Amino acid sequence: MQNQLGTTPEAITHSMADAMRMTGDGCTERDLLLRGFTRQEILRHGDAAREMALASSSSSIRARVHARRAA
């Protein structure tokens, strides 16, 4: 059975960033542990995943605001 969270550092980081976005503001280490990430993965990939999640959610917000103005 393949790990759904990823097996490469890039895949784990992307999965963790997705989990952070889905959880929303206030995502904690416990939230990530409950989603199947290990403490070691959180320590190793957490910072990069947080940056990725923030960058992605910022671009989504800009796109949504822009769409509202156009309507």
Side-chain angles (χ1 to χ4, degrees):
M1 183 171 167
Q2 186 179 8
N3 183 352
Q4 292 182 356
L5 301 175
T7 55
T8 66
E10 294 81 13
I12 294 168
T13 302
H14 281 278
S15 293
M16 194 176 296
D18 288 342
M20 289 175 174
R21 282 192 301 272
M22 289 173 55
T23 302
D25 289 341
C27 180
T28 64
E29 179 180 355
R30 184 175 190 282
D31 294 324
L32 295 174
L33 289 169
L34 291 172
R35 291 190 177 263
F37 295 98
T38 66
R39 288 190 192 281
Q40 186 176 11
E41 289 172 331
I42 294 168
L43 289 173
R44 185 174 294 148
H45 306 289
D47 290 338
R50 186 179 313 109
E51 289 177 22
M52 186 180 293
L54 287 171
S56 178
S57 63
S58 294
S59 64
S60 296
I61 291 169
R62 281 194 299 266
R64 280 188 264 152
V65 169
H66 180 68
R68 286 184 190 154
R69 288 182 186 166

